[in-house]
Amino acid sequence: LRHIHGQADLTLAPSTVTLRQLDAHGIPRLGLWRRGVDLERFNPVHRDENLRRELAPNGEILVGYVGRLSADKRPQLLGCLDDLPGVRLVVVGDGPAMSKVRKAAPNAHYLGFQTGPDLGRIVASLDTFVHTGADETFCQAVQEAMAAGVPVVAPASGGPVDLVEHGSTGFLYEPESPEELRGYVARLAAGPALRAQFGSRARFLVQNRTWPAVCGH
């Protein structure tokens, strides 16, 4: 890797964590280039009350995960939320770990792989977004949830560290602590005003992160 990147004029990394990792491996001439987000597709206006009633007929708080279901994303951690009172878990995505996730969280709604306007509608209809992967170089799904005005609970490692303001747009939990993940989700589930405050702040923070804005720097 050092040989290949040593021949480049510039190596771009999507997060400060990745930047530090590359620097530690002796990769020269590094720059930071974060990813953009589609603020129209991921927008609070797409919140769908009919979908919410379908997924939570008893008025449960919708807590959702969006991403590939594979070992590196550690989606089995979602199991710690499966029996949380007043919460209905929504899992969007597919992958080789699906059977393990279903076993860990048998009460969740599984919506499969989604994209386009349907994905934007689902994300905007959530009350809280959770992510479980601890080794993300960026984590676009977190940024998309923020654009949709949804508070985020994510690991305090990798790309989410750059995206989530702990205690302001969501919470960052110790990656090896499902108890902490559950506790933060429970806190948001019990606080509609807190969710609204975090979601509004999250949307505000990504207003200048469209692809044209990111690519124009």
Side-chain angles (χ1 to χ4, degrees):
L1 285 175
R2 279 192 295 271
H3 174 72
I4 293 171
H5 286 273
Q7 299 178 68
D9 293 322
L10 181 65
T11 292
L12 295 168
S15 66
T16 58
V17 172
T18 305
L19 201 69
R20 288 195 297 269
Q21 290 173 340
L22 293 174
D23 182 63
H25 284 289
I27 306 298
R29 296 180 296 282
L30 298 170
L32 183 65
W33 183 32
R34 295 185 172 93
R35 293 174 182 169
V37 65
D38 186 337
L39 295 177
E40 298 304 318
R41 176 163 295 173
F42 297 97
N43 192 306
V45 301
H46 300 311
R47 189 174 177 89
D48 187 332
E49 293 302 327
N50 290 327
L51 175 62
R52 288 179 53 77
R53 283 191 290 270
E54 178 184 335
L55 296 175
N58 298 314
E60 299 95 334
I61 298 300
L62 291 179
V63 176
Y65 167 92
V66 177
R68 180 167 168 77
L69 302 180
S70 55
D72 61 301
K73 305 286 187 182
R74 311 186 311 162
Q76 296 94 314
L77 283 177
L78 296 171
C80 75
L81 308 174
D82 193 55
D83 64 345
L84 199 59
V87 165
R88 177 53 67 94
L89 188 61
V90 178
V91 179
V92 180
D94 203 350
M98 172 64 85
S99 61
K100 292 183 178 179
V101 180
R102 284 186 176 275
K103 184 176 180 180
N107 298 312
H109 282 292
Y110 291 88
L111 304 185
F113 176 78
Q114 301 285 337
T115 189
D118 288 338
L119 178 59
R121 180 171 61 97
I122 293 168
V123 173
S125 299
L126 299 174
D127 296 299
T128 299
F129 182 88
V130 297
H131 194 72
T132 53
D135 302 305
E136 299 290 331
T137 57
F138 184 79
C139 202
Q140 183 72 342
V142 163
Q143 183 164 252
E144 290 169 349
M146 293 175 65
V150 179
V152 173
V153 179
S157 66
V161 173
D162 283 355
L163 299 172
V164 179
E165 286 189 351
H166 183 76
S168 177
T169 64
F171 295 112
L172 294 168
Y173 66 91
E174 169 58 42
E176 302 307 320
S177 177
E179 297 81 11
E180 199 168 296
L181 166 59
R182 181 183 172 96
Y184 283 137
V185 171
R187 183 173 170 183
L188 284 167
L194 186 65
R195 294 196 305 272
Q197 176 187 334
F198 281 13
S200 177
R201 172 68 176 167
R203 173 73 180 180
F204 173 78
L205 284 184
V206 299
Q207 288 290 331
N208 63 345
R209 298 183 192 168
T210 63
W211 278 111
V214 170
C215 294
H217 288 313

